[in-house]
Amino acid sequence: MTTGSEKSDIIGIKTGGLALLLISLTALILRLVHLWIVKNTDLVQVPIIDAAFYHQWAVEISKGNVIGDHTFFMSPLYSYFAGLIYAIIGASPIRLMILQSVMGIGTILLLYRWGASLAGKKVGLLAAGIAALYAPFIFFESTLLTSTLILFLSAIVLNLAEAVFRRESIISILLLGGIIGLSALARPLVLLFIPFLYLLLIRDNKATWLKRSLLLTAGVLVFLIPIGIRNLIIGGEFSLTTSSAGMNFYVGNNPDATGLYWEAPFLSSIEPQYEDEDFRQVASEAMGKNLSTGEAGSYWFNQSLDWIIHKPFSYVKLLARKTFYFWNRAEFANNISIYYGKEVSPILKFNPFGFYLIGPLGLAGLILMFRRLGWKRNRVAITWVVTYFVGGLIFFIASEYRLPIVLVLMVGASYLIVEIIGEFRARRIEPAMKLLMLGLLFMPLSNFRTDFIHRGENARMDVFNIGNTFLKYGKNKEAITRFEHVLEIDPYFPEGIMKLADAYYRAGMTEEAIEIGKRAGLKDPESILEIIKSQALYEAYALLSEGKTKMAMEEFGFAGLDPGVAVAETTRVNLIRNAQMAIQASNPTQALEFLIRVNSTDKIRYRILWCCII
């Protein structure tokens, strides 16, 4: 039950005074200087993977394609936010990043308010100061990813949750539910917070918990029900957020899972638009029928569940690895990583504020806050951390996904530091040293570096993915430069070696490609050209399966096919693809018409499809 003393602890932003203003100005200046430094680098100019997907989606939205034509596979909120900005000020990533920096200042102000309400103004100001300088926050504000928007919404959720437990207010709990629902459209992981909130409401007041839980749920559904209806109308499946949960669960839980993002071997690309289709196609083949995205998600979820049930010890080992990665200093990325940001921006490179410091100090601070301030004062903070930790165990670990708990850890670290300084000022050396030792307690866990972590703390994969993006758009010389840089970082990276040879070949630099064959230790260095051609042939067929005829023709050319043969093969594959689509649409007559026109050399596939029809 809330108390009068708890009510008086809610603090407004204005109480931060001049100190908070200076912190905010410092944060803004740092971010603007960082953006000025990186504005002409690949970080801003070449969005990759999810960032490229969000950007393109936002451009389409800004041009009027608001509804879309598929069930949401990726969380929609960020693209709609970016699309709105693009519609107003133009499709300029750098302008959007400036606005994200301003949003970052909003997060800092909200963090001050929450931290001050928990443990006083000094703690709130110090937490705000840490957030102003924290390198990953600055970095993600200069990317086209969901992190900045999620952090802002997370700071609102923490403030609203605190208000809900300190005063009985229908408006507060409805708003809390609404912001959680909105945040779920940026990343559904936040929905795990809801069952924990139910438990907190029961403990807080057993007489009113049901009413408050229903109000909370109503607030959440205000945003999610319309999305579910939209997905049902457009994609034929009722999904409150996205259809990707089953695939993500499988990525994090399978016999080959690493605890981090795992690239399934059957993926033609890790770009979201291809990932969705590849997972669906493989599931469809396994089930012997055409599956929807939602049905494919259920298939992959069941595959993971089957593995967990039959290999419980392997699963426990995987959970232990995820726990280690979650609390480790390493910034594991499944898009662009801060390690590339450090290569291009001294604001990040020489910035001492990272998880290696805030993680362990924050954990120690939370323990101290719990011991000195009690459960009620810390219930929201602890539950928030548990929510995202559990989410990481359920799916997989990525630095971007654990960012919301950093807000709590900053308050914990600030409380610990303020208490240590207070003890030293009071000349209580022994208590001060005990607190200092508490602060050092978790340092080994967060800063232990395995060989795997050490090898991953660089920009190798970022530059590699940027090189692939240039290669995809036929900018071979730019790709060569990036792949050469990849091998400067890691001279023995096999994928980098192969991609550099590929880029050389596509740029007409055959001798340089053969030289890569020598470096790779091939007995016949020229055979690397045949490897490249076979990969191009595979890519051509993959592109044809996606209906990208023009790009497929280019790949057939790189594969060494005569133009006439390439045209004939493209026509043949397109006819087979059209026949398959006709079969799926239960139109055997049209399918037969397509098959009659198929080149007679493809007799095996013809017979298979004919059997499907009859």
Side-chain angles (χ1 to χ4, degrees):
M1 188 70 180
T2 55
T3 66
S5 61
E6 285 180 313
K7 292 180 184 180
S8 63
D9 288 331
I10 297 175
I11 294 176
I13 291 173
K14 290 181 180 179
T15 60
L18 181 61
L20 187 58
L21 177 62
L22 290 174
I23 289 170
S24 301
L25 286 174
T26 301
L28 184 60
I29 291 168
L30 273 175
R31 283 153 173 75
L32 293 178
V33 171
H34 167 70
L35 284 176
W36 182 78
I37 292 170
V38 302
K39 62 183 171 64
N40 293 319
T41 68
D42 290 344
L43 180 64
V44 173
Q45 298 296 324
V46 190
I48 61 172
I49 314 175
D50 288 3
F53 182 86
Y54 286 131
H55 170 68
Q56 187 55 46
W57 190 2
V59 170
E60 292 177 9
I61 290 168
S62 70
K63 292 179 178 179
N65 184 13
V66 177
I67 302 299
D69 53 7
H70 293 91
T71 300
F72 289 138
F73 180 75
M74 294 289 284
S75 299
L77 184 63
Y78 180 73
S79 288
Y80 279 90
F81 163 73
L84 176 62
I85 301 303
Y86 285 175
I88 297 170
I89 62 175
S92 167
I94 193 67
R95 293 175 188 169
L96 177 58
M97 291 170 188
I98 291 172
L99 289 176
Q100 289 180 173
S101 296
V102 174
M103 185 178 288
I105 306 305
T107 301
I108 292 169
L109 295 174
L110 289 165
L111 180 61
Y112 161 76
R113 184 182 187 276
W114 184 65
S117 297
L118 281 182
K121 285 176 57 177
K122 289 181 181 178
V123 171
L125 286 171
L126 185 54
I130 293 172
L133 302 173
Y134 192 62
F137 283 7
I138 298 171
F139 167 72
F140 280 111
E141 286 164 20
S142 60
T143 66
L144 299 180
L145 296 170
T146 60
S147 303
T148 300
L149 181 57
I150 287 172
L151 280 170
F152 181 68
L153 293 172
S154 296
I156 297 175
V157 168
L158 291 171
N159 276 276
L160 285 172
E162 208 65 47
V164 162
F165 288 108
R166 295 193 183 189
R167 59 171 177 246
E168 296 282 350
S169 169
I170 293 176
I171 297 299
S172 292
I173 200 161
L174 282 172
L175 282 174
L176 174 60
I179 299 300
I180 290 174
L182 193 63
S183 186
L185 297 178
R187 186 170 298 132
L189 202 60
V190 72
L191 293 176
L192 291 174
F193 191 45
I194 294 173
F196 289 112
L197 280 175
Y198 292 154
L199 294 176
L200 293 183
L201 290 170
I202 293 172
R203 287 201 60 177
D204 184 58
N205 189 333
K206 292 182 179 179
T208 63
W209 76 269
L210 182 57
K211 173 187 173 183
R212 296 162 82 192
S213 296
L214 290 173
L215 288 170
L216 175 69
T217 304
V220 173
L221 294 178
V222 163
F223 287 103
L224 299 192
I225 289 294
I227 297 300
I229 294 171
R230 179 260 174 212
N231 283 336
L232 179 63
I233 294 171
I234 300 297
E237 295 180 316
F238 185 79
S239 175
L240 290 174
T241 55
T242 67
S243 61
S244 58
M247 289 78 154
N248 285 330
F249 187 69
Y250 181 77
V251 165
N253 304 278
N254 67 76
D256 299 314
T258 63
L260 308 175
Y261 176 81
W262 170 79
E263 185 178 344
F266 53 77
L267 292 179
S268 59
S269 170
I270 58 174
E271 293 173 293
Q273 61 270 37
Y274 305 120
E275 189 178 29
D276 177 18
E277 183 60 20
D278 289 344
F279 269 106
R280 192 192 64 77
Q281 283 188 356
V282 172
S284 296
E285 290 171 7
M287 296 300 293
K289 61 178 182 178
N290 188 42
L291 299 180
S292 66
T293 301
E295 291 170 336
S298 297
Y299 168 83
W300 291 112
F301 178 82
N302 290 330
Q303 289 293 109
S304 290
L305 206 58
D306 183 67
W307 173 73
I308 291 169
I309 291 170
H310 289 91
K311 297 289 183 179
F313 293 110
S314 297
Y315 180 59
V316 170
K317 286 173 63 178
L318 178 62
L319 291 179
R321 192 180 302 125
K322 289 180 182 180
T323 299
F324 173 67
Y325 289 155
F326 186 88
W327 294 108
N328 195 267
R329 60 176 282 166
E331 299 287 349
F332 298 109
N334 58 336
N335 285 283
I336 191 83
S337 82
I338 193 172
Y339 302 113
Y340 181 70
K342 290 182 176 183
E343 279 204 355
V344 297
S345 174
I347 299 291
L348 301 178
K349 183 177 182 179
F350 300 108
N351 191 321
F353 290 91
F355 195 84
Y356 78 96
L357 182 65
I358 303 306
L361 291 182
L363 270 178
L366 282 178
I367 293 172
L368 186 64
M369 288 175 69
F370 176 72
R371 290 181 60 187
R372 293 191 174 181
L373 302 180
W375 163 252
K376 282 192 173 182
R377 190 64 67 90
N378 291 281
R379 57 193 158 189
V380 172
I382 293 171
T383 304
W384 187 254
V385 172
V386 170
T387 294
Y388 278 90
F389 176 56
V390 170
L393 295 182
I394 292 174
F395 295 100
F396 54 88
I397 307 303
S399 63
E400 186 184 348
Y401 297 167
R402 76 177 175 192
L403 276 180
I405 75 156
V406 175
L407 296 171
V408 175
L409 295 177
M410 286 174 173
V411 172
S414 299
Y415 182 79
L416 179 67
I417 293 168
V418 167
E419 290 296 297
I420 290 173
I421 292 173
E423 296 290 0
F424 274 119
R425 283 184 172 175
R427 299 184 183 278
R428 292 192 290 266
I429 305 302
E430 185 177 344
M433 293 305 295
K434 286 182 178 179
L435 292 180
L436 195 59
M437 292 301 294
L438 178 63
L440 296 174
L441 180 65
F442 297 103
M443 285 289 182
L445 171 65
S446 287
N447 290 282
F448 185 79
R449 300 170 78 197
T450 63
D451 181 59
F452 173 75
I453 290 172
H454 181 74
R455 285 186 286 109
E457 289 185 310
N458 57 55
R460 182 189 72 173
M461 287 308 302
D462 304 308
V463 182
F464 178 78
N465 287 328
I466 291 168
N468 271 334
T469 300
F470 279 120
L471 203 62
K472 175 182 175 181
Y473 292 108
K475 297 183 178 181
N476 300 316
K477 291 185 178 179
E478 291 86 345
I480 288 169
T481 303
R482 274 59 176 189
F483 291 131
E484 286 175 341
H485 183 34
V486 168
L487 297 182
E488 289 172 4
I489 298 171
D490 183 356
Y492 304 103
F493 181 41
E495 289 90 344
I497 292 171
M498 197 64 227
K499 282 292 185 178
L500 178 58
D502 191 6
Y504 277 139
Y505 170 74
R506 289 168 184 267
M509 302 167 68
T510 307
E511 292 301 318
E512 287 80 356
I514 295 172
E515 187 62 31
I516 295 296
K518 293 178 183 177
R519 284 176 56 183
L522 296 177
K523 290 184 179 180
D524 178 12
E526 292 190 15
S527 66
I528 198 168
L529 300 180
E530 296 307 314
I531 296 172
I532 293 169
K533 289 177 181 179
S534 65
Q535 289 178 339
L537 190 62
Y538 174 84
E539 181 66 19
Y541 283 114
L543 289 167
L544 281 178
S545 70
E546 296 162 11
K548 298 179 179 179
T549 304
K550 184 177 179 181
M551 295 174 67
M553 286 291 292
E554 292 176 359
E555 289 300 315
F556 277 131
F558 286 122
L561 266 67
D562 179 86
V565 175
V567 170
E569 184 66 3
T570 300
T571 302
R572 184 184 67 83
V573 173
N574 278 334
L575 287 170
I576 292 173
R577 181 169 175 269
N578 290 338
Q580 290 172 323
M581 292 172 65
I583 291 170
Q584 292 170 4
S586 301
N587 191 341
T589 303
Q590 187 180 48
L592 184 60
E593 291 175 1
F594 285 124
L595 289 173
I596 290 172
R597 295 165 56 192
V598 170
N599 191 302
S600 61
T601 58
D602 193 24
K603 294 179 181 178
I604 295 176
R605 189 177 301 190
Y606 182 96
R607 288 170 184 166
I608 292 172
L609 289 169
W610 175 254
C611 291
C612 291
I613 292 175
I614 60 174

